[in-house]
Amino acid sequence: MTIILNPHLTEKSSLLANRGDLGNVYTFMVEGAANKPQILLAVKEKYKVTPIRVRIIKTRGRKKALVALKKGEGIQFS
């Protein structure tokens, strides 16, 4: 099962990723059946970073995950 469907790149998600006071937070569209531990592991394996927290938001049949990374780490999307 594919946990991470794609990064959710919006103006708001870009602001969250670049805020220094709350840490690096990245937004991903995820599989509807995915839980927090599965999302943490998928982000760690796919992007080779250290996720420290996940928050899940369900909207209009979609599921988004807000993943906070260890300070000093980041993800570059092309």
Side-chain angles (χ1 to χ4, degrees), residues 41-61:
L41 185 61
V43 170
K44 183 177 182 177
E45 290 177 354
K46 185 170 184 173
Y47 296 105
K48 308 295 186 241
V49 293
T50 309
I52 56 173
R53 182 182 66 237
V54 173
R55 291 185 177 163
I56 295 176
I57 301 170
K58 291 183 180 182
T59 57
R60 298 185 200 140

Side-chain angles (χ1 to χ4, degrees), residues 7-77:
H8 187 67
L9 303 174
T10 62
E11 185 176 347
K12 186 174 183 178
S13 66
S14 295
L15 290 173
L16 286 172
N18 294 321
R19 281 186 73 173
D21 57 339
L22 296 177
N24 302 326
V25 179
Y26 294 86
T27 308
F28 299 95
M29 298 304 294
V30 295
E31 185 66 40
N35 59 31
K36 289 181 181 184
Q38 290 173 330
I39 295 167
L40 280 173
L41 185 61
V43 170
K44 183 177 182 177
E45 290 177 354
K46 185 170 184 173
Y47 296 105
K48 308 295 186 241
V49 293
T50 309
I52 56 173
R53 182 182 66 237
V54 173
R55 291 185 177 163
I56 295 176
I57 301 170
K58 291 183 180 182
T59 57
R60 298 185 200 140
R62 296 182 181 179
K63 196 171 190 179
K64 292 191 286 187
L66 300 171
V67 180
L69 301 181
K70 184 178 174 183
K71 190 171 184 170
E73 291 187 351
I75 299 173
Q76 294 294 323
F77 301 112

